[in-house]
Amino acid sequence: ATLNRSWNNGDHGYAHLGATGTIHVHDVAHGNHSDGFSIQGVSTGTQIYNSIAADNGLAIGGFDLNVDTGSTAGFESNHNLFWNSTAQAPVRYNATAQPTVAAYVLASGRDVESLQADPQFVNPAAGDFRLTDGSPAIDNANSAAPHWPATDAEGQPRFDDRTIENTGPGPVAYADRGPLEFVNDLAPVVTVTKTATGMENSPIAVSVKVHDPDGQPIT
């Protein structure tokens, strides 16, 4: 599964029960009644990359990621983002709730490059999962992940936000986590660097510099 968005469901965001070898790449699970990613019932070999799960199961003590004891075999997961707006534990792994992503990483050895931070969506309650300026999900996805899509859920090519350091592994270091690529289209800045004056009806030379902060071509 790639580039999927699951939000405000009455149960799990993505439920795996006896499903083996499943893969998620650039998916999002937000505000679902139960777990965001539920990996249960001997769902071995599951993989999750570049995905975001936030505020899932808050009303019932659920988790953004829940991997039961029978499903830990072959479980691979990294470069994701898990976050709750409350103090509720974001992950349960191997039947143990983990109070932070760091604690989960220590207990499981998975998700070493994953983050626990507000993804800063535009309007997740309304299903708008575009990233806003400064989101921790920008320019750090793993483009070497299996089945990695070169474009986002809307067909947008990967965009390099020149204001953020590129830290993603793989051939495209500036891909974003989640299903929608952030596009920071800043207005060009025009400055007059030198002026000259002349007599009436004589040529006047003016030097103008145009700079685009986001590094995009200027037309």
Side-chain angles (χ1 to χ4, degrees):
T2 60
L3 304 172
N4 293 290
R5 286 155 284 183
S6 176
W7 76 98
N8 293 348
N9 285 331
D11 197 1
H12 301 298
Y14 304 97
H16 304 70
L17 186 63
T20 60
T22 303
I23 184 168
H24 291 272
V25 186
H26 288 281
D27 288 343
V28 67
H30 186 281
N32 296 293
H33 180 70
S34 191
D35 304 325
F37 291 89
S38 176
I39 320 299
Q40 298 180 296
V42 195
S43 294
T44 56
T46 302
Q47 301 176 66
I48 306 174
Y49 304 106
N50 301 333
S51 296
I52 300 175
D55 278 347
N56 294 283
L58 296 186
I60 64 168
F63 302 90
D64 294 318
L65 172 66
N66 181 18
V67 185
D68 73 4
T69 300
S71 302
T72 59
F75 178 71
E76 297 293 339
S77 185
N78 208 0
H79 295 94
N80 301 302
L81 191 154
F82 304 110
W83 182 79
N84 288 330
S85 57
T86 70
Q88 185 163 307
V91 177
R92 180 165 62 188
Y93 182 81
N94 198 14
T96 303
Q98 303 295 337
T100 64
V101 170
Y104 152 61
V105 171
L106 187 63
S108 68
R110 308 300 195 273
D111 280 292
V112 174
E113 301 297 332
S114 292
L115 303 172
Q116 182 174 354
D118 184 350
Q120 299 179 31
F121 293 127
V122 170
N123 187 1
D128 189 343
F129 295 104
R130 290 175 296 162
L131 303 173
T132 57
D133 193 12
S135 167
I138 296 174
D139 287 5
N140 55 23
N142 180 8
S143 61
H147 305 290
W148 180 75
T151 58
D152 74 0
E154 295 180 344
Q156 167 70 40
R158 300 299 171 179
F159 179 89
D160 186 4
D161 183 347
R162 301 298 179 89
T163 67
I164 294 180
E165 181 183 2
N166 300 332
T167 58
V172 181
Y174 50 82
D176 300 342
R177 304 183 192 197
L180 294 170
E181 191 78 4
F182 174 73
V183 178
N184 185 19
D185 190 11
L186 301 176
V189 176
V190 179
T191 56
V192 177
T193 59
K194 182 175 65 176
T195 61
T197 59
M199 297 181 66
E200 185 177 1
N201 296 324
S202 64
I204 298 176
V206 180
S207 178
V208 178
K209 180 179 180 181
V210 182
H211 168 67
D212 193 357
D214 57 26
Q216 298 306 300
I218 296 172
T219 58

